[in-house]
Amino acid sequence: MGAGIHKAVGAVNDVFQTLSNITVLEVLEQDPRPTFILDLHDVKDHPHYQVQSVACNNSLRSFLNLEDAKSVTTNLEDRLTQHEPGRYREYKEWAVSFATVESSLNGKQSWFPFGGLLWSRSTLRKRWRIISGSAVNLASVNGGTNDTTNPSAGVLVSSLKANYTGSDNDLGTNEACYSSVRKALDVSWTTTLPPNEHTQLFRNTNWEATALGPLETWPSHLRQMTRLLMSDSRAASLFWGPQKVVVYNEAYTPVASRKHPGMMGSTFAQAWSEVANEFPPIFEKARRTRHASTSEAPFFIHRNGILEETFFSVSMAPIYSDSGELEGFYNTVFETTRQILSDRRTRTLMSIRTSPDLSSFWHDVLVGFESNKLDIPLALIYSLDRDPKTGSCQTSTTCSFEAATGMSEDHPLLIKNLNLENDQQELAPLFKKVMTTGSSVILRKGDGTLPESLTKDVQWRGFPEPSTTAVVLPLCAGDEVRGFLLLGLNPRRIYDEDYQSFIQLLSRQLLTSLTSTTLIEQAGLNEANLASQLVIRTREVAETESRFKALAELTPIGMFYMSPIGEVLYANDTWYEMTGHPKALCSKMSFMDVLLEEDRPLMEKEWHNLTVLRMKRTIELRLKKKWYHQASNSWRNTWILASASHEENKDGTTLKSIMGCITNISLQKQAQEDALARAALSEQLTESEKKFKQMAELSPCGMFYITPDGQIEWANSQWYEMTGHSRDPQDHYPMSFYGVIEAEDHPLIDRTFERLTVEKKAAHFEFRLTKRWINTIGSKSFEEATWLLGLAVPQLNEDGSVKSIMGVQADISKLKWAESLQMRSRIEAEEARKSQEKFMDITSHEMRNPLSAILQSADGIAKSLTEFQSSSKTLVMSGELVESNLEAVEIITLCAQHQSRIINDVLTLSKLDSEMLQVAPVVVQPLAVVKGALKMFEGELLSHNISLDFVSDQSYAQFDIDWVMADPSRVTQIFINLMTNAIKFTQAEAKRSITVNIGAAVKQPPKDRVAMIDWFPSRATSRKRDLTLDPDWGKGEQVFIYFAVQDTGRGLSKEEKKLLFHRFSQANPRTHVQYGGSGLGLFISRELTELQGGEIGVESEAGKGSTFAFYIKGRRATSPLDEASYQDNPFKRVDQEHNSPRKAQKTELSIATEPPPLPISLSRQPTETDVTYNVLLVEDNLVNQRVLGKQLKKAGCKVTLANHGQECLDFLETTNLWKGNDNGCQMDIILMDMEMPVMNGLEATQHIRDLQRQGSLIKHVPIIAVTANARKEQIEISLKAGMDDVMPKPFRIAELIPKMQKLMSELEKFDVR
């Protein structure tokens, strides 16, 4: 043995020695792919490096059309460039990249498409780079899958013909094919984008029609910026390339407004044509400074049900390539609508001033509105006339038109003198209501309060749309209403709290100014009362000032008046509270002390602009006063937005004061800082996140992050594909993954989750998913449980609490299946071995015992007859000898029947195992089926003195059961098994009786009809499909027919009943010894019952007998419509059907698939003296010819023999059935075997039927098949070929003669021709 081992080791060493002598160049020359080798030590990093090979093979020289290796060395780069000039630089970079360390390819793929070939690379000893190209199967590319992550995914097939000598075009280098290859090889990078509808819109955009081209051709930098853009939570967009093609994220959709989704892929000039001329300076500034440029810009977006006016702070950041070229701009926007509108409306309020008289005041008000056409697109002023009787405006009923903006003077509403009592005039009711209530009235188009006439034929200022909201204000001087102001409001702003506050402040400001104007006018009209009026005016002015101050205190904006030298003349509480300025301190420029030191120079500059240059200014400043930022748990400087203007004296030359307001914008500024911080952090994390996601997507394992409450934070694509969990964010909720896990494994997941979150320990676990995988074995497919192996680790916060759970999962379904298959196979093999041994023992015993009895009985008959022949001098047998021989014949018959039952059971079992046993429904009467089956047992019951009672349950008549669709042969087969067992176990008892019951039910199975029955549970398999739903069963009502066989046999114990209905199983081992049998009968009965939609069961008690019951499912049917015609002429039907496409299984057979046991009679069979048929026996077996021919002759028939079908046809020509041969041989019927030489029975029968149709035979020839082909399918084929009936072997002459008589009597009756 040791010598043998040493010899084998020596042989292996010889092989390795031989292989080690083979050089790389030898392998290279045998490689059919174009291949060359580079020396990486010679690779230079500068772009003008010339690629030179140190070795190449014949395939490369053929591919490049070069003659020798030397020309390849010198001309390699030139020839490769000619194949695809546009991509050679990228191909060369791929070929020599990271020359020193092959393992650090940094994501570079190991394959590259170039010149119509798919090139791969490998490196030996960190120096020799081997480059090989394979031809691409373009048909596979065009019809393959979308998985392009690697060539082995099935998208590409590498195949290069040996010693290739063709042209470039033969390798598929034409542009169209190459484009398909490029597209198929390109990684689908868009799958890493957020899974939402906006990403889908991005993918569906026709990028080929844009300057950017198809997605698969986008450069890596553009892809990186697109991933950053789609992940940005801010409203952002990309303007890429010279044409500034637009790409934007989901948050940018409201900004795009109506331009969405058409903006995607358009150019900037197309997308923002209305502002395209304003942005070039912004782009130029960003390009020049190489830094982000920020500006304010208005946008109109659909929001709150309207096209809303909004303002955004627009940031434009330039994007440069690695080479320093400008590639595009990254644009982010931040909404500043509230701040801009507040400034605009504040300026409007500040423009309302006191006028010298009322006539000037009305026009001065409209002049103040001129600066705000957007918020006040329409203004209409009426003054209230004084009552001539009382001299007061309060009792006046008329008013006069004073001024309007937005309406022409000939507008129908502009009535010069308006009567408030005239309701026909549209404005009169409104003014009257305002005058009565003393408060403003809001008119809205939405609720129908805004009259259509107020918006018709109006020359709208600002936006072109008409106002949808208007307000009517009382113009008061003190407590007296002096006029009315109707304002149309901004159609692109909703009437929100800010708008309401503005209208209220405007109303109060108008009140103050009108009051002052009224006082001034009265002072000028009455100089005599100047002193008293001055006091009154001063008091009213003070009151007005007081009111104004009160109103100022209500506004959330800080308001102030300052002298030209910086003293605070007045400020509301909001201003003091916001700035932290002491109220008692009013020194020169004291407000500078509240500013942050760094912002003082800016304030000094702006103060100069206000006081010297007299310019209106709006600036952002920081205060020393801090505010608490809860998110960062820190104190921050307060930011304010200050707007100020100057006020001059009447002479217009002297500066009177500085007035303005401030707004706290700390939150907005903080939001901007947070956004910038997030952007910076996002940019820092983009690269690492991109690498991680790429690795995660390439990993074959599922990866996930889960929160401590079970919420899925993130998972890669493999995890979703493995588990079947939905990607929809709405389906992600705490513990949502329980929905994809088998319920039985939920406790395991509970324990695992507790270990991770409570014990804070890593966990390994295996579990099953509800998702199934298809296991294909050969041509069959099976659903199997999906098993996953998981590893999870808790991630902890600094305080030790669980922050998240990170884990990976791998699919181990096939491993689990293999383990279970191995276990099942081992168990099944052992059980099969034991069952087979048991079956062989039982079958051998059951076959050998009868065979022995047959041989012994045959020997006894032969011996007795021989002795009689040699010793007897008379031809008369003694009664004892006859009785002895008859007993021996009976034994032979019984043994043959027993062997036939064993064979039938084995054949049926084989059909069940092969799933070839089918149910063929026909229209039958269940009562007739049962009675027919019982008739088979009459002789056996009589011989054993067993009484039989047949009972039809009342339910059978109650549900009016008559004709049903069922399979009578299968029902009879079950019934025979049960009756055989009942007789077998009853024949030795003192009391011998059997009772058979039949009943019915509808809708529900009749399990309660037979009391105390233990029904054997049906198996939940695909075979439980409801067969009655098939078209062959018709559309009648579903019914259940049940049968019960009750006997007075030995009965069964509880332990014995458990063994019933199983394969090769009997009640106990003594059963086989005492009663015989294979243990298959009840198992076959159970299978046949379940096959027909039913169940079988038993009720038994030891010593008291047994009741076996079963039920089947069928459908109601009517009496066959063609029965009469069939009975009228059954032979025409046979003649017409043997070539008909109609299924043979529809024909109701007159024989059983497996013949039942025949009753045995000890008396001699009666002689058929009236049987005198001329029979043609077509049989190739000489023994069967002799035996059957002899039996037929004894029955009175005249028999002619034929050895095969051709002899049969030849003989027919000599008979009286042949046309024109009236004096020929007489022939009445043919008995036809199936399997014969020269011509078989099927072919002969078809020829005979053809001769009948052609007229060569003058009438129908009855044909009965006598064959051992007893399967149902074989019988159907025989009938379809044209045979009238089938007699399966083995059979007795007593069974054959009735069939012959039936056919001949029908032939004579109808004289079929």
Side-chain angles (χ1 to χ4, degrees):
M1 180 177 179
I5 294 176
H6 285 299
K7 184 177 181 181
V9 172
V12 172
N13 290 335
D14 291 340
V15 172
F16 279 107
Q17 183 63 36
T18 302
L19 293 175
S20 63
N21 292 332
I22 298 175
T23 65
V24 174
L25 295 179
E26 290 181 69
V27 176
L28 185 67
E29 282 302 318
Q30 295 301 318
D31 195 339
R33 301 172 299 171
T35 305
F36 60 94
I37 301 176
L38 302 178
D39 187 353
L40 297 181
H41 287 182
D42 296 335
V43 172
K44 304 297 190 299
D45 292 331
H46 58 79
H48 301 295
Y49 163 72
Q50 295 287 326
V51 175
Q52 296 183 349
S53 70
V54 297
C56 66
N57 62 3
N58 287 329
S59 295
L60 181 72
R61 290 191 288 274
S62 299
F63 175 69
L64 299 178
N65 293 324
L66 295 174
E67 298 179 357
D68 53 33
K70 182 177 180 181
S71 60
V72 172
T73 302
T74 57
N75 299 320
L76 176 62
E77 181 152 329
D78 293 337
R79 289 303 177 95
L80 287 174
T81 305
Q82 293 174 8
H83 274 273
E84 195 173 354
R87 297 199 68 210
Y88 176 71
R89 179 179 177 183
E90 188 178 357
Y91 169 75
K92 182 173 74 173
E93 178 184 358
W94 167 82
V96 302
S97 62
F98 296 90
T100 57
V101 183
E102 175 65 17
S103 60
S104 60
L105 291 177
N106 193 24
K108 292 283 185 179
Q109 302 184 50
S110 59
W111 46 270
F112 190 92
F114 176 77
L117 300 183
L118 184 64
W119 298 84
S120 62
R121 67 182 183 187
S122 59
T123 306
L124 293 178
R125 299 184 180 180
K126 298 184 179 181
R127 177 176 181 179
W128 308 106
R129 174 64 57 79
I130 303 174
I131 311 293
S132 301
S134 298
V136 176
N137 187 337
L138 296 177
S140 176
V141 173
N142 295 330
T145 66
N146 292 328
D147 183 8
T148 57
T149 55
N150 59 74
S152 65
V155 179
L156 298 177
V157 178
S158 299
S159 57
L160 188 67
K161 295 182 179 179
N163 300 321
Y164 177 80
T165 59
S167 66
D168 290 347
N169 290 332
D170 293 332
L171 288 175
T173 57
N174 65 77
E175 188 62 29
C177 294
Y178 184 69
S179 176
S180 299
V181 176
R182 284 285 297 154
K183 186 172 183 180
L185 290 173
D186 202 326
V187 177
S188 183
W189 61 272
T190 62
T191 58
T192 61
L193 301 181
N196 53 41
E197 293 182 2
H198 190 79
T199 300
Q200 191 61 41
L201 165 67
F202 169 77
R203 293 193 187 103
N204 294 338
T205 300
N206 184 16
W207 293 106
E208 294 184 7
T210 69
L212 301 184
L215 290 174
E216 60 268 15
T217 64
W218 284 19
S220 59
H221 197 192
L222 177 54
R223 298 184 183 185
Q224 293 172 4
M225 294 307 300
T226 303
R227 293 190 186 99
L228 171 63
L229 173 73
M230 295 303 181
S231 301
D232 199 337
S233 60
R234 302 170 297 172
S237 62
L238 277 175
F239 304 133
W240 198 267
Q243 297 185 14
K244 299 180 179 63
V245 178
V246 180
V247 185
Y248 58 93
N249 61 12
E250 187 174 17
Y252 196 83
T253 302
V255 179
S257 186
R258 294 182 179 178
K259 302 176 187 294
H260 174 76
M263 180 183 289
M264 185 72 76
S266 63
T267 64
F268 179 84
Q270 295 169 341
W272 296 109
S273 57
E274 64 271 28
V275 294
N277 296 330
E278 301 175 13
F279 269 77
I282 299 175
F283 288 128
E284 176 59 25
K285 180 179 179 181
R287 184 200 65 78
R288 186 180 66 256
T289 61
R290 302 179 73 91
H291 292 292
S293 174
T294 304
S295 61
E296 300 288 342
F299 287 88
F300 301 97
I301 63 177
H302 283 282
R303 190 166 66 183
N304 297 318
I306 62 172
L307 182 63
E308 190 170 359
E309 176 193 17
T310 61
F311 294 87
F312 288 86
S313 176
V314 180
S315 174
M316 195 72 67
I319 302 172
Y320 288 89
S321 65
D322 295 339
S323 61
E325 297 179 0
L326 179 66
E327 293 185 318
F329 296 89
Y330 194 89
N331 168 233
T332 58
V333 294
F334 178 79
E335 186 168 3
T336 58
T337 304
R338 191 172 185 184
Q339 174 185 333
I340 298 298
L341 292 180
S342 177
D343 293 346
R344 188 170 74 193
R345 292 166 181 173
T346 300
R347 289 193 294 271
T348 301
L349 293 175
M350 296 177 66
S351 66
I352 306 301
R353 302 179 181 179
T354 303
S355 300
D357 51 54
L358 281 177
S359 60
S360 301
F361 175 79
W362 311 124
H363 295 278
D364 289 345
V365 169
L366 295 186
V367 171
F369 291 164
E370 284 298 321
S371 62
N372 195 353
K373 297 180 180 180
L374 299 178
D375 288 325
I376 307 176
L378 171 66
L380 181 63
I381 299 178
Y382 274 82
S383 63
L384 194 60
D385 300 333
R386 290 188 177 274
D387 190 335
K389 295 180 179 180
T390 62
S392 172
C393 295
Q394 294 297 97
T395 58
S396 176
T397 59
T398 60
C399 55
S400 302
F401 169 72
E402 296 291 349
T405 180
M407 280 188 176
S408 60
E409 294 184 358
D410 58 349
H411 194 279
L413 288 180
L414 301 185
I415 301 174
K416 197 163 187 179
N417 296 303
L418 185 65
N419 187 355
L420 300 182
E421 299 297 331
N422 186 357
D423 292 340
Q424 300 301 320
Q425 298 173 341
E426 299 251 6
L427 297 179
L430 297 175
F431 291 167
K432 187 175 182 181
K433 183 177 180 180
V434 171
M435 184 175 180
T436 303
T437 61
S439 59
S440 59
V441 174
I442 307 300
L443 307 174
R444 291 186 174 88
K445 182 179 180 180
D447 58 12
T449 58
L450 179 63
E452 184 179 353
S453 59
L454 289 182
T455 59
K456 187 176 181 182
D457 299 328
V458 176
Q459 300 172 355
W460 297 101
R461 309 191 311 158
F463 299 115
E465 302 98 319
S467 296
T468 58
T469 306
V471 60
V472 182
L473 301 175
L475 297 177
C476 299
D479 295 330
E480 185 180 27
V481 177
R482 300 299 302 273
F484 306 97
L485 173 61
L486 187 149
L487 297 177
L489 303 186
N490 191 339
R492 296 192 180 180
R493 293 297 305 175
I494 62 172
Y495 193 54
D496 54 10
E497 293 182 359
D498 290 345
Y499 218 142
Q500 294 176 28
S501 178
F502 167 63
I503 295 299
Q504 291 172 3
L505 291 173
L506 177 62
S507 179
R508 293 167 185 167
Q509 184 70 8
L510 290 171
L511 171 65
T512 303
S513 298
L514 181 55
T515 302
S516 299
T517 299
T518 302
L519 293 176
I520 293 173
E521 185 180 45
Q522 290 177 352
L525 294 176
N526 193 1
E527 295 182 3
N529 297 322
L530 181 58
S532 61
Q533 292 295 333
L534 183 58
V535 173
I536 296 173
R537 181 177 178 278
T538 302
R539 184 173 64 250
E540 290 178 348
V541 170
E543 292 176 357
T544 301
E545 183 178 359
S546 175
R547 290 190 186 122
F548 175 76
K549 290 181 178 180
L551 293 174
E553 297 303 330
L554 295 176
T555 182
I557 300 173
M559 304 179 69
F560 62 87
Y561 284 93
M562 293 186 183
S563 67
I565 60 174
E567 294 176 339
V568 179
L569 301 178
Y570 165 78
N572 63 357
D573 290 342
T574 304
W575 187 87
Y576 283 110
E577 182 181 352
M578 197 180 297
T579 61
H581 191 288
K583 288 188 177 182
L585 182 62
C586 297
S587 60
K588 179 180 178 181
M589 304 298 285
S590 60
F591 66 90
M592 296 288 285
D593 295 334
V594 303
L595 298 178
L596 199 63
E597 195 67 34
E598 291 86 342
D599 288 355
R600 285 191 177 187
L602 174 61
M603 186 65 240
E604 290 173 354
K605 177 182 177 182
E606 296 298 338
W607 187 259
H608 177 78
N609 292 334
L610 283 166
T611 58
V612 178
L613 302 180
R614 301 187 182 183
M615 301 169 59
K616 295 180 180 180
R617 307 302 297 160
T618 299
I619 55 176
E620 294 180 358
L621 298 168
R622 288 173 291 175
L623 304 178
K624 292 179 179 179
K625 183 179 179 181
K626 305 279 189 179
W627 68 284
Y628 181 69
H629 184 223
Q630 191 171 7
S632 63
N633 194 23
S634 61
W635 291 89
R636 306 289 179 89
N637 288 106
T638 300
W639 278 87
I640 61 171
L641 178 68
S643 297
S645 181
H646 61 280
E647 183 183 13
E648 298 175 346
N649 289 321
K650 292 182 180 181
D651 56 9
T653 58
T654 306
L655 183 64
K656 182 180 179 182
S657 64
I658 301 296
M659 64 182 69
C661 61
I662 62 173
T663 303
N664 191 329
I665 61 170
S666 300
L667 292 177
Q668 290 92 325
K669 296 298 288 186
Q670 185 61 47
Q672 290 180 355
E673 292 178 6
D674 292 343
L676 292 175
R678 284 195 301 270
L681 180 61
S682 175
E683 292 175 0
Q684 294 174 5
L685 295 178
T686 297
E687 190 65 26
S688 59
E689 182 181 2
K690 180 184 69 174
K691 292 179 180 179
F692 170 76
K693 287 186 176 180
Q694 287 177 344
M695 292 176 61
E697 294 302 326
L698 294 174
S699 172
C701 298
M703 300 182 180
F704 60 87
Y705 276 95
I706 299 177
T707 62
D709 63 348
Q711 178 85 25
I712 299 171
E713 283 187 314
W714 172 87
N716 65 350
S717 298
Q718 285 77 3
W719 186 89
Y720 285 107
E721 292 175 3
M722 277 185 189
T723 62
H725 193 289
S726 171
R727 298 174 184 259
D728 192 336
Q730 295 181 354
D731 295 330
H732 288 62
Y733 49 85
M735 312 306 283
S736 61
F737 53 83
Y738 267 48
V740 301
I741 299 175
E742 280 284 359
E744 295 179 2
D745 290 347
H746 286 183
L748 168 65
I749 300 301
D750 291 338
R751 293 192 298 273
T752 303
F753 208 73
E754 181 179 1
R755 176 179 176 86
L756 291 166
T757 57
V758 179
E759 300 179 16
K760 303 174 184 177
K761 296 180 180 179
H764 292 77
F765 50 96
E766 295 179 3
F767 59 96
R768 292 167 295 173
L769 301 177
T770 56
K771 176 183 177 183
R772 294 289 186 259
W773 67 284
I774 304 301
N775 185 13
T776 302
I777 303 177
S779 61
K780 296 184 178 180
S781 297
F782 307 91
E783 283 193 355
E784 303 284 354
T786 301
W787 279 88
L788 295 186
L789 171 64
L791 168 63
V793 180
Q795 304 291 307
L796 305 180
N797 291 311
E798 294 180 359
D799 59 358
S801 61
V802 177
K803 177 172 63 175
S804 63
I805 298 171
M806 177 181 67
V808 294
Q809 293 174 349
D811 192 332
I812 59 170
S813 302
K814 293 187 178 180
L815 179 61
K816 281 289 186 180
W817 173 79
E819 291 177 355
S820 64
L821 178 62
Q822 186 178 12
M823 180 63 69
R824 289 198 305 270
S825 298
R826 186 165 62 251
I827 295 173
E828 290 174 358
E830 182 64 22
E831 292 179 351
R833 184 185 64 79
K834 293 179 180 178
S835 298
Q836 186 176 15
E837 290 177 355
K838 180 179 178 182
F839 173 66
M840 292 302 296
D841 292 342
I842 294 174
T843 304
S844 175
H845 179 273
E846 292 297 310
M847 294 295 288
R848 287 177 180 275
N849 278 346
L851 186 60
S852 176
I854 290 172
L855 291 174
Q856 292 172 12
S857 298
D859 288 343
I861 294 172
K863 183 177 180 181
S864 63
L865 292 177
T866 302
E867 290 176 353
F868 170 77
Q869 187 178 25
S870 62
S871 62
S872 178
K873 297 179 180 179
T874 176
L875 297 178
V876 180
M877 289 186 181
S878 65
E880 181 181 356
L881 180 59
V882 171
E883 190 69 26
S884 173
N885 285 343
L886 286 176
E887 183 179 359
V889 170
E890 180 182 9
I891 291 172
I892 291 174
T893 303
L894 285 172
C895 292
Q897 291 177 355
H898 181 75
Q899 288 182 320
S900 177
R901 281 197 297 268
I902 296 297
I903 292 172
N904 288 337
D905 284 349
V906 173
L907 290 176
T908 302
L909 179 64
S910 175
K911 291 180 182 179
L912 288 171
D913 289 342
S914 303
E915 296 184 359
M916 296 174 60
L917 202 61
Q918 297 180 352
V919 175
V922 295
V923 180
V924 297
Q925 290 176 304
L927 276 174
V929 174
V930 174
K931 290 178 180 179
L934 291 177
K935 193 170 184 64
M936 300 176 191
F937 295 94
E938 286 180 354
E940 194 170 359
L941 292 170
L942 182 62
S943 64
H944 294 299
N945 195 24
I946 300 174
S947 64
L948 176 67
D949 292 326
F950 177 57
V951 179
S952 178
D953 190 80
Q954 63 178 0
S955 62
Y956 198 83
Q958 175 187 347
F959 294 114
D960 191 24
I961 303 298
D962 189 9
W963 294 91
V964 298
M965 290 294 294
D967 189 338
S969 63
R970 301 303 173 204
V971 174
T972 302
Q973 192 173 354
I974 300 170
F975 213 87
I976 290 173
N977 283 332
L978 298 184
M979 281 297 295
T980 302
N981 284 345
I983 294 172
K984 181 167 58 177
F985 289 99
T986 304
Q987 63 188 8
E989 300 297 322
K991 180 182 179 181
R992 296 187 288 274
S993 67
I994 297 175
T995 302
V996 176
N997 282 274
I998 184 172
V1002 297
K1003 296 184 180 179
Q1004 296 295 330
K1007 292 187 177 182
D1008 58 342
R1009 295 288 179 182
V1010 185
M1012 306 301 291
I1013 293 294
D1014 293 330
W1015 297 95
F1016 191 85
S1018 299
R1019 293 167 295 177
T1021 66
S1022 60
R1023 290 169 55 186
K1024 288 292 291 181
R1025 182 177 63 86
D1026 191 349
L1027 296 178
T1028 63
L1029 298 178
D1030 292 343
D1032 293 345
W1033 290 78
K1035 298 183 179 179
E1037 180 187 17
Q1038 284 189 347
V1039 296
F1040 297 89
I1041 310 298
Y1042 75 87
F1043 310 87
V1045 178
Q1046 183 179 5
D1047 63 58
T1048 59
R1050 58 179 291 275
L1052 300 169
S1053 64
K1054 291 183 179 179
E1055 290 72 18
E1056 290 174 333
K1057 286 195 292 184
K1058 294 178 181 177
L1059 300 175
L1060 298 179
F1061 307 114
H1062 294 286
R1063 188 193 299 251
F1064 309 128
S1065 177
Q1066 292 181 317
N1068 58 60
R1070 295 190 302 277
T1071 303
H1072 163 66
V1073 176
Q1074 184 175 356
Y1075 300 99
S1078 62
L1080 289 175
L1082 290 179
F1083 170 75
I1084 291 172
S1085 298
R1086 182 192 112 200
E1087 292 284 336
L1088 293 176
T1089 302
E1090 293 182 0
L1091 195 62
Q1092 299 177 83
E1095 293 180 350
I1096 192 169
V1098 64
E1099 187 279 321
S1100 182
E1101 186 177 350
K1104 295 184 179 181
S1106 304
T1107 300
F1108 284 83
F1110 70 95
Y1111 69 88
I1112 63 168
K1113 184 186 291 187
R1115 286 186 180 272
R1116 289 188 187 273
T1118 57
S1119 177
L1121 296 177
D1122 58 348
E1123 182 178 5
S1125 61
Y1126 175 77
Q1127 291 178 350
D1128 288 344
N1129 196 342
F1131 302 102
K1132 282 187 178 179
R1133 184 172 178 178
V1134 171
D1135 296 340
Q1136 293 169 358
E1137 285 180 353
H1138 90 274
N1139 283 326
S1140 171
R1142 185 176 61 84
K1143 295 182 179 178
Q1145 66 185 31
K1146 293 292 185 179
T1147 305
E1148 187 174 354
L1149 308 181
S1150 60
I1151 51 89
T1153 304
E1154 289 100 1
L1158 299 173
I1160 304 301
S1161 175
L1162 297 179
S1163 61
R1164 184 182 300 276
Q1165 296 291 337
T1167 304
E1168 303 290 346
T1169 58
D1170 57 340
V1171 178
T1172 58
Y1173 303 135
N1174 294 289
V1175 179
L1176 174 61
L1177 176 59
V1178 187
E1179 169 69 68
D1180 64 322
N1181 188 290
L1182 298 179
V1183 174
N1184 289 343
Q1185 279 185 4
R1186 187 175 69 178
V1187 174
L1188 183 55
K1190 183 178 180 180
Q1191 294 289 330
L1192 289 171
K1193 289 177 181 178
K1194 283 184 178 182
C1197 298
K1198 181 179 179 181
V1199 180
T1200 303
L1201 299 177
N1203 293 308
H1204 48 75
Q1206 186 58 52
E1207 286 189 4
C1208 170
L1209 296 177
D1210 294 341
F1211 177 75
L1212 282 175
E1213 295 181 11
T1214 67
T1215 66
N1216 62 333
L1217 298 180
W1218 195 264
K1219 185 177 180 180
N1221 193 16
D1222 297 336
N1223 298 323
C1225 301
Q1226 296 293 318
M1227 197 198 74
D1228 299 315
I1229 190 168
I1230 298 175
L1231 300 181
M1232 182 80 71
D1233 190 18
M1234 302 299 292
E1235 303 295 337
M1236 296 180 294
V1238 183
M1239 181 183 292
N1240 61 37
L1242 293 176
E1243 294 175 347
T1245 301
Q1246 290 173 346
H1247 279 297
I1248 292 172
R1249 299 307 179 208
D1250 289 339
L1251 291 172
Q1252 287 180 210
R1253 285 193 300 274
Q1254 296 168 5
S1256 298
L1257 293 173
I1258 62 177
K1259 67 177 183 178
H1260 181 87
V1261 181
I1263 303 176
I1264 298 178
V1266 286
T1267 176
N1269 295 342
R1271 288 190 297 108
K1272 174 186 172 183
E1273 294 79 2
Q1274 294 171 322
I1275 293 173
E1276 290 174 351
I1277 291 173
S1278 301
L1279 295 174
K1280 189 175 181 180
M1283 295 185 178
D1284 297 295
D1285 211 338
V1286 179
M1287 188 72 249
K1289 300 176 182 178
F1291 62 87
R1292 297 177 66 194
I1293 197 66
E1295 298 175 78
L1296 178 61
I1297 294 300
K1299 287 182 178 289
M1300 296 170 60
Q1301 289 177 322
K1302 179 181 177 182
L1303 286 177
M1304 294 305 299
S1305 63
E1306 290 175 346
L1307 182 64
E1308 294 171 359
K1309 177 180 178 181
F1310 301 105
D1311 190 22
V1312 178
R1313 297 194 178 269

